[in-house]
Amino acid sequence: MKIDIIGDIHGCYLDFKLLTEQLGYDWTTEAIPVHPYGRRLAFVGDLTDRGPESLKIIEIVWKLAVEKGNAYYVPGNHCNKLYRFFLGNKVQISHGLETTVAEFEALSKPEQDLIRKKFIELYEKAPLYRQLDKGKLVIAHAGIRQDYIGKSGSKVKTFVLYGDITGEKHPDGSPVRLDWAMHYTGKTCIVYGHTPVQEVRIINNTYNIDTGAVFGGKLTALRYPEKEIVSVPSSMPFVAEKFREL
Ligand SMILES: [Mn+2]
């Protein structure tokens, strides 16, 4: 199984297209990325919000993962919030969701119904995290604790969507996050995103591939099983304070 796992896209369509072209995918025949040797794409979630073309990313990932069934998608915290918005739940239209909602509201009613339906389908069909390559690889948005692999439930869900949060907050209001990857000792390779870092963070067989495309960093793919990193520079303005050491 040969796959290319893509970090948080957050509506950065141009960067996504460029990255997949770099990875050898062809867009000319179907207007979606198709690999000539059948490699598959995998997405660690956070497809939308903050970036310029969130709905286009939904459309493409829906086509790949649902319609064609040859890509893997796991949801991120931004996906979870958009899902709740689309269900009609009361959610705060902030932290980047406002850009996706603005794109959505600019559509006609039938177009809105269609994209809502597609995203709900994509989200509901997705597992919280995905075990691949006979369990040798796991993709999960914010990573996963070793003892949670193979399990489900609300604790696992919170972990894979938000990371190792304690419930406490820093003085600036941001959640206190623990460094689960630092203590990870498993044999399963874990590929995740969620926390923007300037360079891919590789530690104890875990790979944080969220290189902050939407904050002007890079959009990154990890080729598996080669474990080769391919990145393209972001087309967005650089926002230094969004990148964490962790
Ligand atoms: Mn993200």
Side-chain angles (χ1 to χ4, degrees), residues 16-187:
F16 172 63
K17 185 155 188 271
L18 192 63
L19 178 61
T20 54
E21 283 166 354
Q22 205 96 273
L23 292 164
Y25 289 75
D26 173 42
W27 286 70
T28 54
T29 46
E30 298 181 65
I32 49 166
V34 177
H35 198 277
Y37 308 128
R39 293 184 71 100
R40 291 172 173 223
L41 288 168
F43 300 89
V44 300
D46 282 6
L47 304 177
T48 62
D49 295 4
R50 294 197 175 101
E53 293 174 280
S54 290
L55 301 186
K56 224 161 164 173
I57 301 294
I58 292 174
E59 190 76 44
I60 292 161
V61 176
W62 176 85
K63 262 191 198 148
L64 291 167
V66 178
E67 193 179 58
K68 295 177 81 83
N70 64 7
Y72 307 104
Y73 157 77
V74 294
N77 52 310
H78 285 263
C79 307
N80 172 269
K81 201 175 178 191
L82 180 61
Y83 174 66
R84 288 182 284 124
F85 170 80
F86 278 150
L87 289 184
N89 294 4
K90 221 178 158 187
V91 298
Q92 261 193 11
I93 315 289
S94 60
H95 300 289
L97 181 59
E98 64 279 8
T99 64
T100 307
V101 169
E103 275 188 61
F104 177 74
E105 283 174 349
L107 299 177
S108 68
K109 182 80 173 65
E111 288 170 328
Q112 286 186 348
D113 290 344
L114 196 59
I115 196 77
R116 185 198 296 109
K117 202 172 142 248
K118 283 179 177 173
F119 185 76
I120 287 176
E121 188 180 19
L122 174 67
Y123 186 93
E124 289 183 347
K125 285 197 167 157
L128 281 175
Y129 60 92
R130 189 129 197 175
Q131 294 173 277
L132 294 164
D133 195 16
K134 302 184 188 97
K136 285 188 268 185
L137 169 68
V138 166
I139 56 170
H141 177 63
I144 190 165
R145 248 168 61 175
Q146 205 169 327
D147 58 325
Y148 284 174
I149 299 173
K151 298 198 178 123
S152 57
S154 64
K155 273 187 181 171
V156 177
K157 181 175 177 180
T158 302
F159 196 101
V160 299
L161 290 179
Y162 301 97
D164 201 354
I165 49 171
T166 60
E168 291 164 79
K169 291 196 167 172
H170 290 296
D172 70 352
S174 64
V176 172
R177 282 189 244 198
L178 301 178
D179 191 359
W180 64 273
M182 182 77 94
H183 309 290
Y184 179 74
T185 57
K187 283 202 178 104

